Amino acid sequence: MENLLDIGFLIESFPVIVARLPITIGIAVGSLIISLFIGLTTALIKIYRVPVLKTISSCYVSFIRGTPLLVQIYLVFYGIPKVIYYFQTEYGWLQNVDVNIIPPEIYALLAFSINLGAYLSETIRSAIESVDRGQFEAAKAIGMSPTQMMLKIIFPQALAVAIPNLGNMFISTIKDTSLVFIIGVIDIMGQAKILGSRGLAFFEVYIAVSIVYWIVCIVVERLLVIVEKRARRYERGFVS
């Protein structure tokens, strides 16, 4: 009689899957850092209503929010080499770039950064606009430049408002990295699929990888709670 669950294989698969965890975390953290710059730039363009760029940024956000992440990964993976090849053949640009040696992790990082940047732009914009307008007027009254006002007054207060949404998006990104195996990135989900196909024990490896994702997300959630509490203390101290 066949056993429902091969406990031995499940336990043995854990260290093999966890060995790929740095790739999963690396893509998630890297895309978060890059997307913060994309999101902040897009948010400021919308807030200050920059001509032309405002329309472009609105189209970018609308397109990303209106298409599946899976499609965006494919667009980046197949589109970027095609664009590079076009410039190489038509204009002689980027001759030193060999698309055949670009690792798939780079494409995954770019796809997730572009995707997350669109969502973060709305979070950042709403956080900045939630800051009391009196703070803007006070900063102007004491002679602060727009850059000084944003760095010293607005951003610290907006950060406290944005952290919960940033945290939720980061956790979602960690889970969404399970899609990168479709372009050849061997992350924890990819490793689980490989193990499952080798041992014909897909149920066991998917249980193992789900537990790994669960533990990682719990740890990240706890860390974000600590960060949010510190940001709230800073905000209270700033306001008082």
Side-chain angles (χ1 to χ4, degrees), residues 62-122:
S62 177
F63 177 80
I64 294 300
R65 298 180 70 173
T67 56
L69 175 58
L70 180 61
V71 174
Q72 295 164 22
I73 294 174
Y74 279 134
L75 285 174
V76 170
F77 184 67
Y78 291 108
I80 289 181
K82 194 174 183 67
V83 170
I84 292 175
Y85 180 73
Y86 173 79
F87 281 116
Q88 287 176 338
T89 56
E90 294 295 326
Y91 301 101
W93 300 350
L94 306 174
Q95 293 298 324
N96 295 327
V97 179
D98 185 359
V99 295
N100 296 314
I101 63 173
I102 298 177
E105 289 83 359
I106 298 297
Y107 295 114
L109 181 63
L110 289 174
F112 275 86
S113 298
I114 293 170
N115 176 271
L116 191 55
Y119 289 94
L120 287 182
S121 68
E122 295 302 299

Side-chain angles (χ1 to χ4, degrees), residues 146-160:
T147 301
Q148 289 175 323
M149 176 180 65
M150 282 294 179
L151 292 177
K152 296 182 179 181
I153 305 296
I154 307 305
F155 286 164
Q157 296 181 70
L159 179 62

Side-chain angles (χ1 to χ4, degrees), residues 71-215:
V71 174
Q72 295 164 22
I73 294 174
Y74 279 134
L75 285 174
V76 170
F77 184 67
Y78 291 108
I80 289 181
K82 194 174 183 67
V83 170
I84 292 175
Y85 180 73
Y86 173 79
F87 281 116
Q88 287 176 338
T89 56
E90 294 295 326
Y91 301 101
W93 300 350
L94 306 174
Q95 293 298 324
N96 295 327
V97 179
D98 185 359
V99 295
N100 296 314
I101 63 173
I102 298 177
E105 289 83 359
I106 298 297
Y107 295 114
L109 181 63
L110 289 174
F112 275 86
S113 298
I114 293 170
N115 176 271
L116 191 55
Y119 289 94
L120 287 182
S121 68
E122 295 302 299
T123 296
I124 294 172
R125 181 179 63 82
S126 61
I128 291 175
E129 292 180 341
S130 70
V131 177
D132 189 270
R133 299 303 301 178
Q135 300 286 341
F136 290 85
E137 299 301 326
K140 292 179 181 178
I142 61 176
M144 280 190 173
S145 67
T147 301
Q148 289 175 323
M149 176 180 65
M150 282 294 179
L151 292 177
K152 296 182 179 181
I153 305 296
I154 307 305
F155 286 164
Q157 296 181 70
L159 179 62
V161 176
I163 283 178
N165 283 335
L166 291 175
N168 290 334
M169 290 182 187
F170 180 60
I171 290 174
S172 295
T173 300
I174 292 174
K175 293 182 287 186
D176 288 341
T177 56
S178 59
L179 296 172
V180 299
F181 184 62
I182 61 174
I183 59 172
V185 178
I186 312 299
D187 65 330
I188 58 176
M189 187 64 181
Q191 188 63 65
K193 290 181 178 180
I194 292 173
L195 285 176
S197 62
R198 287 176 181 173
L200 297 178
F202 289 101
F203 186 43
E204 285 80 359
V205 296
Y206 287 145
I207 289 176
V209 77
S210 65
I211 292 174
V212 174
Y213 276 117
W214 184 30
I215 293 174

